[in-house]
Amino acid sequence: MSAFSWLNSQLLKMEWLYDLIKRLVEDVFGLSMTTRFGNSLHFFIYDTIKIFLLLSFLIFGISYIQSFFPPERTRKIIGRFKGVTANLLAALLGTITPFCSCSSIPLFIGFTSAGLPIGVTFSFLISSPLVDLASVLLLASIFNWRIAIAYVVVGVILAVISGTIISKAKLEKYVESYVFNNPLLDLDQDELTTRQRLQFAKLQVDDIIKKVWVYILVGVGIGAMIHNYIPESIITAVLGQDKWYSVPVATFVGIPMYADIFGTLPIAEALVTKGVGIGTVMSFMMAVTALSLPSMIMLSKVVKPKLLGVFAGIVSVGILIIGFAFNGFSYLFI
């Protein structure tokens, strides 16, 4: 076994943990893995522990890096560029900010009030909850590296294209006026010590885990139910890869939910094992993270209905295109 294969199986997929939980279920709880309840219990315990372990480790590392890029410095970096380049940079910087869509909105206000074009800030707003460095490794741990990298690439492309269209449309007048008079306050982090940066990273882990733990447990619970209790025939009848309407249905179902990618991953994992197309699953995950109803309600407080509608429309169309495209070329990711 190569070093990469060992790292992938033991550190990302945590096969050692899978075997340990299997022993717990069979030897301690006295349940068979061949039963629905035993398999569901294993799925719930294993996925919950794996996600929390990976998430804590990844957020700590990402947050340590993020301590070198406070909001004001991020704004200054982006502000040096124009056009599509600025949108791309905003989208890429969004990948190192592990925020949910609602948490990203205050930064959207700060960036806009500090003079960044709204299209650039929208690229950041879309990318930040949709794609982050942690999601790459978590997706790879559940699916494979091809799917993980493809998800990140299309997420960044969606953020760049959406932001560029909004920039070209000149929709600044549809941003609430108070946003432009709400300067971004920031602390100078140039002189933080290593100990302070480590403390910042620890606090970020605590803060984000407190925000998402419920969604992770709910997501893993739903995933366990789908995996073991809902017949494959029912799921494929509605969301099967051969159904043209599976992508719109998955997108529509995802919008009312409020979670981040970490809460949707266990559901996505269960759906894929039941025969749902990878494009359909991607559309569901993207709709939950980028177009969730709570985040749209919060965004409506800072932009007017026309801009909100344009944003939702562009992102929705992009998600549908991505879903159909990945279902059509799913053989590339097996």
Side-chain angles (χ1 to χ4, degrees), residues 54-69:
L54 283 174
L55 190 59
S56 298
F57 174 79
L58 293 169
I59 291 175
F60 186 90
I62 293 168
S63 297
Y64 183 82
I65 296 172
Q66 188 187 345
S67 70
F68 292 92
F69 297 93

Side-chain angles (χ1 to χ4, degrees), residues 23-317:
R23 291 182 183 179
L24 175 69
V25 171
E26 293 181 335
D27 299 341
V28 178
F29 298 151
L31 299 171
S32 172
M33 288 283 290
T34 60
T35 64
R36 287 181 175 178
F37 182 72
N39 204 294
S40 295
L41 185 62
H42 180 276
F43 184 102
F44 183 84
I45 298 174
Y46 165 67
D47 267 42
T48 299
I49 295 175
K50 181 179 72 172
I51 290 175
F52 276 118
L53 285 176
L54 283 174
L55 190 59
S56 298
F57 174 79
L58 293 169
I59 291 175
F60 186 90
I62 293 168
S63 297
Y64 183 82
I65 296 172
Q66 188 187 345
S67 70
F68 292 92
F69 297 93
E72 177 60 19
R73 181 179 296 172
T74 301
R75 183 198 67 77
K76 289 179 179 178
I77 292 172
I78 299 174
R80 297 173 187 169
F81 299 87
K82 304 294 181 183
V84 176
T85 304
N87 290 97
L88 176 60
L89 187 59
L92 292 175
L93 286 172
T95 65
I96 63 172
T97 54
F99 300 128
C100 67
S101 51
C102 291
S103 300
S104 301
I105 290 174
L107 282 176
F108 169 83
I109 295 173
F111 288 166
T112 303
S113 66
L116 289 181
I118 62 167
V120 174
T121 56
F122 266 108
S123 288
F124 177 89
L125 182 68
I126 296 168
S127 172
S128 183
L130 192 65
V131 182
D132 58 63
L133 297 179
S135 68
V136 180
L137 295 182
L138 284 171
L139 280 163
S141 73
I142 291 178
F143 301 115
N144 59 52
W145 280 102
R146 289 183 181 180
I147 292 175
I149 294 172
Y151 178 87
V152 172
V153 170
V154 297
V156 170
I157 291 174
L158 176 60
V160 172
I161 292 176
S162 299
T164 301
I165 293 174
I166 290 173
S167 288
K168 297 295 184 182
K170 305 294 183 182
L171 298 172
E172 287 81 2
K173 63 181 179 181
Y174 297 106
V175 177
E176 295 292 349
S177 58
Y178 78 87
V179 172
F180 297 103
N181 300 309
N182 189 6
L184 178 64
L185 297 178
D186 188 36
L187 296 176
D188 184 3
Q189 291 184 274
D190 283 334
E191 298 181 1
L192 288 180
T193 64
T194 299
R195 182 175 181 179
Q196 288 173 322
R197 296 186 193 281
L198 292 172
Q199 182 64 22
F200 169 77
K202 179 180 180 300
L203 290 175
Q204 284 289 90
V205 172
D206 293 341
D207 182 55
I208 293 175
I209 292 295
K210 287 177 182 177
K211 290 179 179 178
V212 305
W213 71 268
V214 172
Y215 304 113
I216 292 175
L217 292 182
V218 171
V220 175
I222 294 173
M225 292 291 292
I226 293 173
H227 188 71
N228 294 286
Y229 284 94
I230 300 179
E232 184 174 327
S233 58
I234 293 177
I235 294 176
T236 54
V238 179
L239 296 175
Q241 192 166 336
D242 59 327
K243 304 295 189 298
W244 69 266
Y245 51 79
S246 64
V247 172
V249 169
T251 303
F252 181 77
V253 169
I255 291 175
M257 300 179 64
Y258 176 56
D260 52 28
I261 189 173
F262 313 119
T264 60
L265 279 172
I267 302 175
E269 177 185 13
L271 289 173
V272 168
T273 60
K274 289 291 186 177
V276 177
I278 187 62
T280 303
V281 170
M282 278 193 173
S283 293
F284 169 75
M285 293 169 61
M286 288 182 167
V288 171
T289 52
L291 293 174
S292 67
L293 192 58
S295 67
M296 295 298 285
I297 292 173
M298 285 193 67
L299 189 58
S300 69
K301 305 300 181 183
V302 296
V303 301
K304 297 177 181 178
K306 183 171 182 177
L307 179 52
L308 185 67
V310 170
F311 164 75
I314 293 171
V315 175
S316 296
V317 171

